[in-house]
Amino acid sequence: GLFEVLYIFLQAARGRESHFNNSTPIESIMYGLMGVGAVILVVGSFYLGYLLFREYQQEYQSKRNNLLLLSSALGLTIGSVLTLVIASYLSSGETGYSINTNTENVMRLPIFSWYLNGDDLRIPHFFATHMMQFFPLCGLWLTRKKVSFTVEKARLLCGTGIYTSLVLLLFAIA
């Protein structure tokens, strides 16, 4: 992760693209290494989510209901799978992160620089990847509410379905 962030920072400082940059042999190799590193990180996140889900099942069996474990497990496992699927599709394309190569007159979202014509694959990739951070925060927030575990769990599962559907819809649109 540190390698990837440092390389992205270096390329930004040089005014060069870090992603989809095969301009020079070194940049092509670095982009490939970034992909390998990203896959390792995401597979590790999935495994951590799996371990958290196993822990949640053991806690649930012993009547100690922990919504934070469940939300973290869901975020890491579902987020990892969606991230790998979308990133695989994104990296296999010849046009980079946008399906439409004619993007000169397309509105862009400030700061993120996402194309707002529905052709930008970075949008579903962003939401899939950050599901891994968002769900544990939701679980933490839900545990602060003064409602029963059953209601908290139902809200979490409903939110999981909505968020996952949103990511899949954004991916289908792009």
Side-chain angles (χ1 to χ4, degrees), residues 1-9 18-19 33-35 37-39 41:
L2 182 61
F3 157 76
E4 187 166 350
V5 170
L6 288 174
Y7 179 67
I8 292 170
F9 179 78
S18 56
H19 291 69
L33 289 174
M34 281 178 41
V39 168
L41 286 172

Side-chain angles (χ1 to χ4, degrees), residues 93-158:
E94 295 176 16
T95 60
Y97 48 79
S98 178
I99 300 201
N100 184 0
T101 56
N102 185 15
T103 54
E104 292 174 13
N105 297 322
V106 176
M107 286 181 47
R108 297 179 96 162
L109 186 67
I111 298 174
F112 292 100
S113 195
W114 293 336
Y115 297 115
L116 297 178
N117 63 349
D119 288 340
D120 199 329
L121 291 166
R122 294 175 295 178
I123 300 170
H125 178 60
F126 175 87
F127 284 105
T129 302
H130 293 290
M131 181 185 282
M132 295 181 225
Q133 293 91 29
F134 182 70
F135 275 36
L137 290 174
C138 286
L140 188 61
W141 178 72
L142 285 170
T143 59
R144 304 285 185 226
K145 299 290 181 188
K146 302 292 184 204
V147 294
S148 71
F149 174 77
T150 308
V151 172
E152 290 173 345
K153 185 176 175 182
R155 288 178 180 172
L156 175 67
L157 295 176
C158 182

